[in-house]
Coordinates of all heavy atoms in Angstrom, one line a residue:
A385 N -4.8 13.6 -3.6 CA -3.7 12.7 -3.3 C -2.5 13.6 -2.9 O -2.2 14.6 -3.5 CB -3.4 11.9 -4.6
Y386 N -1.8 13.1 -2.0 CA -0.5 13.7 -1.5 C 0.6 12.7 -1.4 O 0.3 11.5 -1.3 CB -0.7 14.4 -0.1 CG -1.6 15.5 -0.1 CD1 -3.0 15.4 0.0 CD2 -1.1 16.8 -0.1 CE1 -3.8 16.6 0.0 CE2 -1.8 18.0 -0.1 CZ -3.2 17.8 0.0 OH -4.0 18.9 0.0
V387 N 1.8 13.1 -1.5 CA 2.9 12.2 -1.2 C 3.7 12.8 0.0 O 3.6 14.0 0.3 CB 3.9 12.1 -2.4 CG1 3.2 11.4 -3.6 CG2 4.4 13.5 -2.8
A388 N 4.3 11.9 0.7 CA 5.0 12.4 1.9 C 6.1 11.3 2.3 O 6.1 10.2 1.7 CB 4.0 12.5 3.1
D389 N 7.0 11.8 3.1 CA 8.0 10.9 3.6 C 7.6 10.3 4.9 O 7.1 11.0 5.8 CB 9.3 11.6 3.8 CG 9.9 12.2 2.6 OD1 9.7 11.5 1.5 OD2 10.5 13.3 2.6
Y390 N 7.8 9.0 5.0 CA 7.5 8.3 6.3 C 8.4 8.7 7.4 O 9.6 8.8 7.3 CB 7.6 6.8 6.1 CG 7.5 6.0 7.3 CD1 6.2 5.6 7.9 CD2 8.7 5.5 7.9 CE1 6.2 4.9 9.1 CE2 8.5 4.8 9.1 CZ 7.3 4.5 9.7 OH 7.3 3.7 10.8
E391 N 7.9 9.0 8.6 CA 8.6 9.4 9.7 C 8.6 8.3 10.8 O 9.6 7.9 11.2 CB 8.1 10.7 10.3 CG 9.1 11.2 11.4 CD 8.7 12.6 11.8 OE1 8.9 13.5 10.9 OE2 8.3 12.8 12.9
S392 N 7.4 7.8 11.2 CA 7.3 6.8 12.2 C 5.9 6.3 12.4 O 5.0 6.8 11.7 CB 7.7 7.4 13.6 OG 6.8 8.4 14.0
G393 N 5.7 5.2 13.1 CA 4.4 4.7 13.4 C 4.1 3.5 12.6 O 4.7 3.1 11.7
E394 N 2.9 2.9 13.0 CA 2.4 1.7 12.4 C 1.1 1.9 11.7 O 0.3 2.7 12.2 CB 2.2 0.6 13.4 CG 3.5 0.1 14.1 CD 4.5 -0.6 13.1 OE1 4.0 -1.3 12.3 OE2 5.7 -0.4 13.3
I395 N 0.8 1.2 10.6 CA -0.5 1.4 9.9 C -1.5 0.6 10.8 O -1.3 -0.5 11.1 CB -0.4 0.8 8.6 CG1 0.6 1.4 7.7 CG2 -1.8 0.8 7.9 CD1 0.8 0.8 6.3
V396 N -2.6 1.3 11.1 CA -3.7 0.7 11.8 C -5.0 1.1 11.1 O -5.5 2.2 11.2 CB -3.7 1.2 13.3 CG1 -4.9 0.6 14.0 CG2 -2.5 1.0 14.0
P397 N -5.5 0.2 10.2 CA -6.7 0.4 9.5 C -7.9 0.7 10.4 O -8.0 0.0 11.4 CB -6.9 -0.8 8.6 CG -5.5 -1.5 8.6 CD -4.9 -1.2 9.9
Q398 N -8.7 1.6 10.0 CA -9.9 1.9 10.8 C -11.0 0.9 10.3 O -11.3 0.8 9.1 CB -10.4 3.3 10.4 CG -11.6 3.7 11.2 CD -12.1 5.1 10.9 OE1 -11.3 6.0 10.4 NE2 -13.3 5.4 11.2
E399 N -11.5 0.1 11.3 CA -12.4 -1.0 11.0 C -13.7 -0.4 10.3 O -14.2 0.7 10.7 CB -12.8 -1.6 12.3 CG -13.6 -2.9 12.0 CD -13.9 -3.7 13.3 OE1 -13.0 -3.7 14.2 OE2 -15.0 -4.3 13.4
G400 N -14.1 -1.0 9.3 CA -15.3 -0.6 8.5 C -15.0 0.5 7.5 O -15.9 0.8 6.7
E401 N -13.8 1.0 7.5 CA -13.4 2.0 6.6 C -12.4 1.5 5.5 O -12.4 1.8 4.3 CB -12.8 3.2 7.3 CG -12.4 4.4 6.4 CD -13.6 5.1 5.8 OE1 -14.7 5.1 6.3 OE2 -13.4 5.8 4.8
I402 N -11.3 0.9 6.0 CA -10.3 0.3 5.2 C -10.1 -1.2 5.5 O -9.9 -1.6 6.7 CB -8.9 1.1 5.5 CG1 -9.1 2.6 5.1 CG2 -7.8 0.4 4.7 CD1 -7.9 3.4 5.5
E403 N -10.2 -2.0 4.4 CA -10.1 -3.4 4.6 C -8.7 -3.9 4.9 O -8.5 -4.8 5.7 CB -10.6 -4.1 3.3 CG -10.7 -5.6 3.4 CD -11.3 -6.1 2.2 OE1 -12.3 -5.6 1.7 OE2 -10.7 -7.2 1.6
D404 N -7.7 -3.3 4.2 CA -6.3 -3.8 4.3 C -5.4 -2.6 4.0 O -5.7 -1.8 3.2 CB -6.1 -4.9 3.3 CG -4.7 -5.6 3.5 OD1 -4.1 -5.5 4.5 OD2 -4.3 -6.2 2.5
A405 N -4.3 -2.6 4.8 CA -3.2 -1.6 4.6 C -1.9 -2.2 4.9 O -1.8 -2.8 6.0 CB -3.5 -0.3 5.5
R406 N -1.0 -2.0 4.0 CA 0.4 -2.6 4.1 C 1.4 -1.7 3.5 O 1.1 -0.9 2.7 CB 0.5 -3.9 3.5 CG -0.5 -5.0 4.0 CD -0.3 -6.3 3.3 NE -1.3 -6.3 2.3 CZ -1.3 -7.3 1.3 NH1 -0.3 -8.1 1.2 NH2 -2.3 -7.3 0.4
W407 N 2.7 -1.9 3.8 CA 3.8 -1.2 3.2 C 4.3 -2.2 2.1 O 4.3 -3.4 2.3 CB 4.9 -0.9 4.1 CG 4.6 0.0 5.2 CD1 4.5 -0.3 6.6 CD2 4.3 1.4 5.2 NE1 4.2 0.8 7.3 CE2 4.1 1.9 6.5 CE3 4.2 2.3 4.1 CZ2 3.8 3.2 6.7 CZ3 3.9 3.6 4.4 CH2 3.7 4.0 5.7
F408 N 4.7 -1.7 1.0 CA 5.3 -2.5 -0.1 C 6.6 -1.8 -0.6 O 6.8 -0.6 -0.6 CB 4.3 -2.5 -1.3 CG 3.1 -3.2 -1.0 CD1 1.9 -2.5 -0.8 CD2 3.0 -4.6 -1.1 CE1 0.7 -3.1 -0.5 CE2 1.8 -5.3 -0.8 CZ 0.7 -4.6 -0.5
T409 N 7.5 -2.7 -1.0 CA 8.7 -2.2 -1.7 C 8.4 -2.0 -3.1 O 7.4 -2.5 -3.7 CB 9.9 -3.2 -1.5 OG1 9.5 -4.4 -2.3 CG2 10.2 -3.5 -0.1
R410 N 9.3 -1.3 -3.9 CA 9.1 -1.2 -5.3 C 9.1 -2.5 -6.0 O 8.3 -2.8 -6.9 CB 10.2 -0.3 -5.9 CG 10.0 1.2 -5.6 CD 11.1 2.0 -6.2 NE 10.8 3.4 -6.1 CZ 11.2 4.2 -5.0 NH1 11.8 3.6 -4.0 NH2 10.8 5.5 -5.0
D411 N 10.0 -3.5 -5.6 CA 10.0 -4.8 -6.2 C 8.7 -5.6 -6.0 O 8.3 -6.2 -6.9 CB 11.3 -5.6 -5.7 CG 12.6 -5.2 -6.3 OD1 12.5 -4.5 -7.4 OD2 13.6 -5.5 -5.7
E412 N 8.2 -5.4 -4.8 CA 6.9 -6.1 -4.5 C 5.8 -5.6 -5.4 O 5.0 -6.3 -5.9 CB 6.5 -6.0 -3.0 CG 7.4 -6.8 -2.1 CD 7.2 -6.4 -0.7 OE1 6.8 -5.3 -0.3 OE2 7.4 -7.3 0.2
L413 N 5.8 -4.2 -5.6 CA 4.7 -3.7 -6.5 C 5.0 -4.1 -7.9 O 4.0 -4.3 -8.6 CB 4.7 -2.2 -6.3 CG 4.0 -1.7 -5.0 CD1 4.1 -0.1 -5.0 CD2 2.6 -2.2 -4.8
R414 N 6.2 -4.1 -8.3 CA 6.5 -4.5 -9.7 C 6.1 -6.0 -10.0 O 5.8 -6.4 -11.1 CB 8.0 -4.3 -10.1 CG 8.3 -2.9 -10.2 CD 9.8 -2.7 -10.6 NE 10.1 -1.3 -10.6 CZ 10.9 -0.7 -9.8 NH1 11.5 -1.4 -8.8 NH2 11.2 0.6 -9.9
N415 N 6.1 -6.8 -8.9 CA 5.8 -8.2 -9.0 C 4.5 -8.6 -8.3 O 4.3 -9.7 -7.8 CB 6.9 -9.1 -8.4 CG 8.2 -8.9 -9.2 OD1 8.2 -9.0 -10.4 ND2 9.3 -8.5 -8.5
H416 N 3.6 -7.6 -8.3 CA 2.3 -7.8 -7.6 C 1.5 -9.1 -7.9 O 1.0 -9.7 -7.0 CB 1.4 -6.5 -7.7 CG 1.0 -6.3 -9.1 ND1 -0.1 -6.8 -9.7 CD2 1.7 -5.5 -10.0 CE1 -0.1 -6.4 -10.9 NE2 0.9 -5.6 -11.2
A417 N 1.4 -9.4 -9.2 CA 0.7 -10.5 -9.6 C 1.2 -11.9 -9.0 O 0.5 -12.7 -8.5 CB 0.6 -10.6 -11.1
A418 N 2.5 -11.9 -9.0 CA 3.2 -13.1 -8.4 C 2.9 -13.2 -6.9 O 2.9 -14.3 -6.3 CB 4.7 -13.1 -8.7
L419 N 2.7 -12.1 -6.2 CA 2.4 -12.0 -4.8 C 0.9 -12.1 -4.5 O 0.5 -12.0 -3.4 CB 3.0 -10.8 -4.2 CG 4.6 -10.7 -4.3 CD1 5.0 -9.3 -3.8 CD2 5.2 -11.8 -3.5
G420 N 0.1 -12.3 -5.5 CA -1.4 -12.5 -5.3 C -2.2 -11.3 -5.1 O -3.3 -11.4 -4.6
F421 N -1.7 -10.1 -5.6 CA -2.7 -8.9 -5.5 C -2.5 -8.1 -6.8 O -1.6 -8.3 -7.5 CB -2.4 -8.1 -4.2 CG -1.0 -7.4 -4.2 CD1 -0.9 -6.1 -4.7 CD2 0.1 -8.0 -3.7 CE1 0.4 -5.5 -4.7 CE2 1.3 -7.4 -3.7 CZ 1.4 -6.1 -4.2
S422 N -3.5 -7.3 -7.0 CA -3.5 -6.5 -8.2 C -3.4 -5.0 -7.8 O -3.7 -4.6 -6.7 CB -4.8 -6.7 -9.0 OG -5.9 -6.3 -8.2
L423 N -3.0 -4.2 -8.8 CA -2.9 -2.8 -8.6 C -4.2 -2.1 -8.9 O -5.0 -2.7 -9.6 CB -1.8 -2.2 -9.6 CG -0.4 -2.7 -9.3 CD1 0.6 -2.0 -10.2 CD2 0.1 -2.4 -7.8
P424 N -4.4 -0.9 -8.5 CA -5.6 -0.1 -8.8 C -5.8 0.0 -10.3 O -4.8 -0.1 -11.1 CB -5.5 1.2 -8.1 CG -4.4 1.0 -7.1 CD -3.5 -0.1 -7.6
R425 N -7.0 0.3 -10.8 CA -7.2 0.6 -12.2 C -6.2 1.6 -12.8 O -5.9 2.6 -12.1 CB -8.6 1.1 -12.4 CG -9.7 0.1 -12.1 CD -11.1 0.6 -12.2 NE -11.2 1.9 -13.0 CZ -12.3 2.4 -13.3 NH1 -13.4 1.9 -12.9 NH2 -12.4 3.5 -14.0
A426 N -5.9 1.5 -14.0 CA -4.9 2.4 -14.7 C -5.3 3.8 -14.7 O -4.5 4.7 -14.7 CB -4.6 1.9 -16.1
D427 N -6.7 4.1 -14.7 CA -7.2 5.4 -14.8 C -7.4 6.1 -13.4 O -8.0 7.1 -13.3 CB -8.4 5.5 -15.6 CG -9.6 4.7 -15.0 OD1 -9.3 3.9 -14.1 OD2 -10.7 4.9 -15.5

């Protein structure tokens, strides 16, 4: 795992490799259940 700063471009998931890819704000992640998605496992 790496962290980085976004510079430019659009997310384009590779078909058959990644089902879904999106950008989220901190508030959206904090309220993920209300938005209908779950976070990865705690471990």
